[in-house]
Amino acid sequence: MDGQDPESVAVLGYQFWQRRYGGDPNVIGKNIELVHKRYRIVGVVRPRFTWGDGEVYLPLKLTADPVRTYFPMILLKPGVTRAAANAEFQSLLEQFAKKLRPTSPSISTWPSKD
C-alpha cells in the first residue's frame, strides 16, 4: 500500500458545486481537471461541511513514513460511545497495519473517555 497512488476521484464542496455546476446532480460520474490531471466526481459534501477553505476534496496518499501522522476525524451517531466506535475502528486499523508491515508505524485509536 505504501506509495500506491489513490484512485483519481474527487468530492466537490457544496458552494463550489453550486457556483461551478449550478447545483446539477448529474455531475456525479463526470470528470473535472485539476492541475492537468483528471478526476472522476464521486460526490458533493453537504452545505454545512467545511474543511478550511477547500472546494474540492481528493483522496490522501497514505504512506508508512514514520514522520507522517494521520488524524482521521469521525462524527459519532447519537447514542454511540467513543469506546464502541474505537472498538470497530481498531479492527480496520489492524487490517491496514497488516498490509503495511513490517514498515508500519504504531497505529491505534484515541483513548476512550465516555
Side-chain angles (χ1 to χ4, degrees), residues 3 13 29 32-33 40 43 48 51-53 56 65-66 68 78 81 93:
I32 183 172
E33 187 171 323
R40 183 171 41 90
R48 296 184 328 210
W51 188 272
D53 59 355
V56 178
D65 181 350
R68 301 263 336 228
T81 66
L93 291 173

Side-chain angles (χ1 to χ4, degrees), residues 40-106:
R40 183 171 41 90
I41 300 169
V42 295
V44 176
V45 298
R46 292 179 182 237
R48 296 184 328 210
F49 180 87
T50 58
W51 188 272
D53 59 355
E55 294 190 308
V56 178
Y57 304 92
L58 307 175
L60 176 66
K61 182 176 181 177
L62 297 177
T63 71
D65 181 350
V67 176
R68 301 263 336 228
T69 303
Y70 303 99
F71 294 100
M73 289 191 249
I74 60 172
L75 178 64
L76 300 178
K77 286 183 180 180
V80 175
T81 66
R82 187 183 293 185
N86 275 344
E88 282 212 32
F89 198 57
Q90 187 63 42
S91 69
L92 295 172
L93 291 173
E94 289 168 5
Q95 290 173 32
F96 178 71
K98 285 178 188 174
K99 289 182 180 181
L100 291 181
R101 281 193 180 112
T103 60
S104 167
S106 174

Side-chain angles (χ1 to χ4, degrees), residues 9-12 16 20-21 31-39 55-58:
V9 295
V11 174
L12 305 181
F16 178 80
R20 173 99 183 255
Y21 296 99
N31 292 316
I32 183 172
E33 187 171 323
L34 304 168
V35 193
H36 308 292
K37 185 173 179 180
R38 292 170 62 99
Y39 295 86
E55 294 190 308
V56 178
Y57 304 92
L58 307 175

